[in-house]
């Protein structure tokens, strides 16, 4: 019997500026459309994977507690199918997120797992193939393989649906302020089920899908030109379109709480006062605000004063996923 092999990796979560919300039918977790995100230094997951021939089943320890390993095992089966270690694995993962925020960690989680598991299994894989592997764990995880601004591509074939980094003069200037609402209560609707339910029942879903390609083109042009206002404007509009589509599902999926709306109003007021501030919202009540290095602290202070906000964090762009030992 061969001995155990181990590797650890670190990955940062990312926040989409043009959202992924809907899949193609069939296997492989293929997104219906592309997306575009910013990887964030403040939201880090560290994961150690040990393939151990002495184990009878895969095990997952999440933030110190044994956890359900069903999605982890599904993912490790993909890694084992690449021809490295065939042993079961112990996965120990830790989210270094600000407070108990309830922020989605599947992006950083599956990106860190993809990097640690392939390394521990002895599988050689190039970065683009790594993004496709991470996508099969969670669509947004493909984007966390890279740092900074990242573009996810869509297509009917596995090889077409990969992520790649986008260079931009904005990278040194952008910051994201994360405003946590309601202390991070557990999510009412997981993204995976909610996006499927939206695709099946929302009368606005086709219009949402038609919105994404022009929003991606606008966002990419803004990144190329270094135009933060254009990027922020399309990001806020895109997020609101996603949420409108989701609220129109039957029955409705409503992620917002009163503080979410109050934050959107505060962001508009900040803009009215000449500050750089554009909001985006994912599958929860929290609001993330795209801003610049000059205005980040002012924006964070203003949002901390909104009733129902329990914490704020200013984040710089983060690095891509990497092996740490
Ligand atoms: C609202 O990547 O969690 O954050 O592929 O089913 O695991 P699965 O979905 P997931 O969805 C992320 C949805 C989002 C928008 C985004 O990150 O683009």
């Amino acid at each position: 019997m061969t001995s155990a092999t181990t590797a650890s990796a670190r990955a940062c979560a990312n926040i989409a500026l043009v959202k992924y919300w809907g899949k193609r039918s069939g296997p492989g977790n293929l997104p219906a459309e592309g997306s575009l995100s910013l990887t964030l230094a403040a939201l880090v997951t560290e994961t150690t994977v040990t393939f151990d021939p002495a184990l009878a089943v895969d095990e997952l320890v999440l933030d110190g507690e044994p956890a359900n390993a069903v999605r982890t095992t599904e993912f490790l089966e993909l890694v084992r199918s690449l021809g490295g270690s065939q042993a079961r694995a112990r996965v120990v993962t830790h989210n270094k997120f600000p407070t108990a925020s309830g922020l989605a960690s599947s992006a950083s989680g599956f990106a860190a797992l993809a990097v640690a598991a392939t390394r521990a299994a002895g599988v050689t894989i190039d970065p683009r193939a790594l993004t496709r592997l991470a996508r099969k764990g969670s669509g947004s995880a493909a984007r966390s393989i890279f740092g900074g601004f990242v573009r996810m591509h869509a297509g009917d074939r596995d090889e077409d649906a990969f992520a790649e980094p986008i260079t931009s003069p904005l990278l040194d200037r952008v910051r994201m302020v994360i405003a946590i609402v309601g202390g991070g209560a557990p999510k009412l609707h997981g993204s995976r089920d909610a996006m499927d339910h939206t695709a099946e029942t929302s009368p606005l879903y086709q219009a949402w899908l038609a919105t994404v390609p022009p929003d991606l083109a606008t966002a990419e042009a803004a990144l190329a030109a270094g135009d933060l206002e254009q990027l922020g404007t399309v990001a806020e509009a895109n997020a609101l379109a996603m949420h409108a589509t989701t609220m129109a599902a039957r029955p409705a999926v409503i992620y917002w709480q009163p503080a979410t709306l109050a934050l959107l109003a505060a962001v508009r007021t900040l803009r009215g006062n000449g500050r750089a501030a554009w909001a985006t919202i994912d599958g929860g009540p929290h609001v993330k605000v795209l801003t610049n290095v000059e205005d980040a602290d002012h924006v964070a202070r203003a949002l901390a004063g909104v009733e129902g906000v329990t914490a704020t964090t200013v984040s710089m762009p983060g690095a891509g996923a990497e092996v740490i030992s």
Side-chain angles (χ1 to χ4, degrees):
M1 192 177 263
T2 48
S3 57
T5 54
T6 190
S8 298
R10 174 188 296 133
C12 299
N14 69 77
I15 300 298
L17 301 173
V18 178
K19 304 293 186 193
Y20 152 52
W21 197 248
K23 301 172 195 289
R24 289 169 197 239
S25 55
N29 202 28
L30 294 165
E33 277 300 343
S35 57
L36 189 152
S37 60
L38 178 62
T39 300
L40 292 186
L43 309 177
V44 176
T45 298
E46 287 184 2
T47 298
T48 298
V49 177
T50 306
F51 285 96
D52 186 345
L55 290 173
V57 291
D58 296 315
E59 295 174 1
L60 172 63
V61 178
L62 174 59
D63 290 327
E65 301 287 338
N68 183 319
V70 170
R71 267 178 89 174
T72 304
T73 288
E74 280 172 17
F75 189 80
L76 291 171
E77 288 299 340
L78 297 172
V79 176
R80 286 186 279 259
S81 75
L82 296 174
S85 176
Q86 298 302 302
R88 306 298 108 180
R90 181 178 308 104
V91 176
V92 178
T93 186
H94 186 64
N95 289 322
K96 298 176 159 187
F97 283 29
T99 68
S101 60
L103 286 167
S105 53
S106 70
S108 51
F110 277 102
L113 181 61
V115 171
T118 50
R119 174 62 68 98
V123 169
T124 314
I125 186 166
D126 64 60
R128 183 172 289 189
L130 196 54
T131 72
R132 289 164 37 222
L133 176 65
R135 182 198 80 227
K136 293 170 190 159
S138 189
S140 53
R143 301 185 310 238
S144 276
I145 296 297
F146 295 113
F149 294 107
V150 181
R151 169 71 207 266
M152 180 75 194
H153 297 276
D156 282 330
R157 298 177 314 168
D158 176 51
E159 53 268 44
D160 297 331
F162 63 91
E164 63 181 351
I166 311 179
T167 56
S168 170
L170 287 180
L171 190 61
D172 295 336
R173 289 172 41 209
V174 288
R175 294 291 181 270
M176 201 165 260
V177 178
I178 302 160
I180 303 296
V181 168
K187 281 208 261 188
L188 289 174
H189 314 273
S191 293
R192 178 157 290 189
D193 292 345
M195 76 170 78
D196 287 348
H197 174 68
T198 300
E200 282 159 19
T201 69
S202 175
L204 306 187
Y205 181 65
Q206 291 305 324
W208 153 252
L209 288 186
T211 306
V212 176
D215 282 358
L216 284 168
T218 302
E220 287 194 281
L223 287 175
D227 188 336
L228 183 61
E229 179 168 8
Q230 184 179 330
L231 180 67
T233 302
V234 74
E236 188 170 303
N238 182 270
L240 294 176
M242 179 202 121
H243 282 269
T245 307
T246 303
M247 288 181 200
R250 300 175 183 198
V253 176
I254 303 175
Y255 286 114
W256 298 7
Q257 292 180 14
T260 312
L261 265 173
L263 282 161
L264 288 174
V267 167
R268 265 195 308 275
T269 301
L270 284 162
R271 277 207 298 276
N273 294 336
R275 302 288 178 169
W278 296 272
T280 188
I281 308 167
D282 295 292
H286 318 301
V287 177
K288 297 97 177 192
V289 177
L290 187 69
T291 183
N292 60 23
V293 68
E294 294 82 12
D295 288 339
D297 289 337
H298 181 95
V299 168
R301 271 197 304 278
L303 300 185
V306 172
E307 193 178 335
V309 172
T310 52
T312 56
T313 301
V314 178
S315 184
M316 297 185 29
E322 58 185 0
V323 173
I324 50 177
S325 67

